[in-house]
């Protein structure tokens, strides 16, 4: 009897779920949700073809160094790089002496404590230090940025879909709000203090355009610093900060594939040798 009751209860539960699923599907078909401005006018980034992309991608260290220059001159005023140490820059071609000079001359110093008075103070950066945050805490960061919190950029190309392409598109994507958007969605006007950018999730971003003119950064290798070039270079640099071991990972993957191919042929050869002349 108890078994029969449990079967009836289970069947009733399945029946209710089926009715709910049918009702949801019917509503979705007959009364589709209205499209939002974000859905209609949001754009997807184009592939910028960084050398690090693809199965055999490698970093162009000269480009990554140029990207570091863009970060240093443009992005570091608001965005932290807390998972990267100054000494990591040796992996992109800087010498130990250059890294020491970069750390020592970095505008933002490391927080410290005066051993004599116990009061808070600062000290020069060392190569072993991580890049210091431009703000003392989250409250200070929001106060300086219209209550928006600038994200840390260490892993930004891994945290965003289509990371490097997204970073490039976002930096270069600022524009005036199209008249078609306001005509179709009158209530979607960009609020004061925000900036229209179709590559941002909700179309309006608190960060003002970081690259405002060609030549904003001077490249030591003589490359012409157009806005597009600077955006590409900083995207390459942030790809490196997110995946500093990308080249080693690609090499290990290639070695594994080659090993598996050789192993398959050896196994096939052993099979042919063992079962040669044996009738099945």
């Amino acid at each position: 009897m108890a078994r029969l009751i449990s079967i009836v209860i289970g069947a009733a539960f399945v029946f209710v779920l089926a009715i709910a699923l049918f009702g949801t599907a019917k509503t979705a078909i007959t009364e589709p949700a209205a499209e939002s401005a974000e859905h209609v006018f949001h754009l997807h980034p184009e592939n910028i073809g960084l050398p690090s992309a693809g199965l055999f991608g490698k970093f162009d260290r000269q480009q990554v160094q140029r990207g570091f220059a863009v970060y240093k001159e443009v992005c570091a005023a608001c965005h932290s790089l807390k998972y990267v140490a100054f000494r990591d820059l040796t992996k992109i071609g800087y010498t130990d002496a250059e890294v020491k000079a970069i750390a020592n001359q970095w505008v933002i110093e490391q927080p410290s404590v005066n051993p004599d008075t116990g009061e808070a103070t600062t000290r020069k950066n060392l190569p072993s230090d991580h890049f210091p945050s431009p703000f003392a805490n989250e409250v200070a960061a929001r106060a300086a940025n219209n209550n928006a919190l600038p994200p840390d950029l260490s892993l930004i190309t891994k945290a965003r879909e289509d990371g490097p392409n997204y970073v490039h598109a976002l930096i270069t994507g600022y524009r005036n709000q199209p008249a078609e958007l306001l005509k179709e969605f009158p209530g979607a006007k960009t609020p004061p203090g925000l900036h229209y950018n179709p590559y941002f999730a909700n179309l309006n971003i608190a960060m003002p355009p970081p690259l405002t003119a060609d030549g904003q950064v001077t490249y030591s290798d003589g490359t012409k610093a157009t806005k597009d070039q600077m955006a590409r270079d900083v995207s390459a640099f942030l790809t490196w900060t997110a995946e500093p071991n990308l080249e080693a990972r690609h090499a290990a993957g290639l070695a594994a594939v080659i090993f598996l191919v050789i192993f398959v042929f050896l196994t096939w050869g052993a099979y042919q040798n063992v079962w040669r002349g044996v009738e099945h």
Side-chain angles (χ1 to χ4, degrees):
M1 186 64 181
R3 184 177 181 181
L4 179 61
I5 293 175
S6 63
I7 292 175
V8 172
I9 293 175
F13 180 71
V14 171
F15 178 71
V16 171
L17 284 179
I19 292 177
L21 179 61
F22 175 77
T24 302
K26 181 180 179 182
T27 301
I29 294 172
T30 58
E31 301 176 17
E35 291 186 323
S36 64
E38 291 85 352
H39 177 77
V40 176
F41 288 89
H42 178 70
L43 299 180
H44 296 282
E46 297 180 359
N47 185 4
I48 59 175
L50 290 180
S52 57
L55 295 176
F56 306 105
K58 291 187 176 181
F59 291 116
D60 178 344
R61 278 163 173 70
Q62 197 168 34
Q63 181 181 41
V64 175
Q65 288 188 18
R66 293 198 303 267
F68 170 64
V70 176
Y71 168 76
K72 178 182 177 182
E73 299 296 330
V74 179
C75 310
C78 296
H79 295 278
S80 59
L81 210 61
K82 64 182 179 181
Y83 295 117
V84 183
F86 286 101
R87 63 186 174 191
D88 292 333
L89 296 177
T90 57
K91 298 177 182 178
I92 59 173
Y94 287 100
T95 66
D96 291 337
E98 289 173 329
V99 170
K100 185 176 181 179
I102 291 171
N104 185 65
Q105 297 168 5
W106 198 257
V107 175
I108 305 165
E109 297 185 337
Q110 292 287 337
S112 184
V113 176
N114 188 320
D116 298 324
T117 64
E119 296 180 352
T121 183
T122 59
R123 62 167 175 79
K124 294 288 186 180
N125 294 286
L126 301 174
S128 58
D129 290 324
H130 286 70
F131 282 83
S133 172
F135 303 105
N137 50 49
E138 181 179 331
V139 175
R142 290 185 180 279
N145 292 278
N146 195 26
N147 203 38
L149 180 64
D152 179 82
L153 296 183
S154 306
L155 305 174
I156 196 68
T157 58
K158 298 296 290 183
R160 300 292 186 270
E161 182 182 1
D162 207 11
N165 300 325
Y166 168 79
V167 171
H168 174 269
L170 186 74
I171 292 175
T172 59
Y174 290 85
R175 60 195 66 177
N176 293 326
Q177 202 170 30
E180 294 81 4
L181 186 152
L182 296 178
K183 182 178 180 180
E184 189 171 346
F185 302 95
K189 183 176 176 60
T190 298
L194 299 183
H195 307 270
Y196 180 76
N197 191 318
Y199 295 99
F200 194 62
N202 66 0
L203 305 181
N204 301 305
I205 186 171
M207 179 178 71
L211 300 176
T212 56
D214 293 345
Q216 193 170 338
V217 175
T218 301
Y219 286 147
S220 59
D221 65 357
T223 299
K224 186 176 181 180
T226 63
K227 288 192 289 185
D228 180 75
Q229 184 66 55
M230 289 185 287
R232 288 174 181 270
D233 293 342
V234 78
S235 298
F237 172 68
L238 294 177
T239 300
W240 171 77
T241 63
E243 292 191 273
N245 298 317
L246 177 142
E247 292 173 333
R249 179 168 58 80
H250 284 179
L254 179 61
V257 170
I258 293 174
F259 168 79
L260 290 174
V261 171
I262 294 174
F263 180 77
V264 167
F265 278 102
L266 289 175
T267 304
W268 179 80
Y271 171 82
Q272 292 295 322
N273 185 60
V274 170
W275 294 97
R276 180 182 299 165
V278 177
E279 295 184 2
H280 295 282

